[in-house]
Amino acid sequence: MSAYSLFQELHSVFRYVVMVLFIYTILMALIGWFGNRPYTNRNRLSNLFALISAHTQLLIGIVLYFLSPLVQFNSATMKDSTLRYFTVEHWVMMVIAIALITVGHSKSKKLVLPEAKHKTIALFYGIALLIIIGALAAGKIPILK
């Protein structure tokens, strides 16, 4: 198995971990926000694990970016939708999503009121998840194989 195949498989499989953690975290935040629930250590850990999983996926993706034959820097790249997607579009959208996740996590840590913490996580992580899903849909990458 080549390094490219290994990282491609790792990146592909780990996306399920990221998606499950994000859906769980966003649901917990929405329940906490609209249900006026306390912000517990379970919420904090869920937010943190979702953040860590996204950053881990980013690191795997960075390695994959430099190994992938679909990432090319030549005159044909922008004319070919597949090459353009993997060379430019995918990573840009994912970095934006991860920046939102990081900002949301950081902001929530500084807040005191449980409602504000839940709301911040729900909004920032939710928007990031929409961007991630949009990025996968733009590249016609199935979330579930």
Side-chain angles (χ1 to χ4, degrees):
M1 179 178 260
S2 69
Y4 170 68
S5 297
L6 175 69
F7 277 94
Q8 184 182 31
E9 189 65 26
L10 184 59
H11 194 63
S12 180
V13 170
F14 197 66
R15 71 179 163 193
Y16 299 112
V17 173
V18 174
M19 293 301 269
V20 166
L21 284 170
F22 267 84
I23 291 167
Y24 175 76
T25 299
I26 292 166
L27 287 174
M28 293 282 293
L30 289 170
I31 290 168
W33 178 17
F34 292 115
N36 291 320
R37 301 241 171 110
Y39 187 84
T40 65
N41 192 49
R42 184 177 186 180
N43 295 115
R44 185 187 67 77
L45 289 175
S46 173
N47 302 342
L48 180 62
F49 290 149
L51 171 90
I52 291 169
S53 73
H55 281 86
T56 302
Q57 183 73 329
L58 175 65
L59 292 174
I60 296 166
I62 289 170
V63 172
L64 188 57
Y65 187 81
F66 290 103
L67 296 175
S68 177
L70 297 171
V71 175
Q72 297 179 13
F73 299 97
N74 58 45
S75 60
T77 299
M78 297 309 278
K79 295 174 188 160
D80 183 307
S81 62
T82 301
L83 295 178
R84 182 182 63 241
Y85 175 76
F86 286 106
T87 304
V88 180
E89 296 167 0
H90 181 73
W91 75 264
V92 168
M93 288 188 279
M94 295 304 176
V95 166
I96 291 168
I98 291 172
L100 284 169
I101 293 161
T102 305
V103 169
H105 183 76
S106 179
K107 281 182 163 291
S108 76
K109 285 176 27 178
K110 295 175 184 173
L111 297 170
V112 176
L113 297 177
E115 179 185 338
K117 287 178 176 282
H118 290 305
K119 180 180 177 181
T120 300
I121 291 297
L123 293 176
F124 278 87
Y125 282 40
I127 293 168
L129 183 60
L130 291 175
I131 291 170
I132 290 168
I133 292 169
L136 296 176
K140 299 175 187 79
I141 297 174
I143 294 172
L144 300 173
K145 280 187 179 177

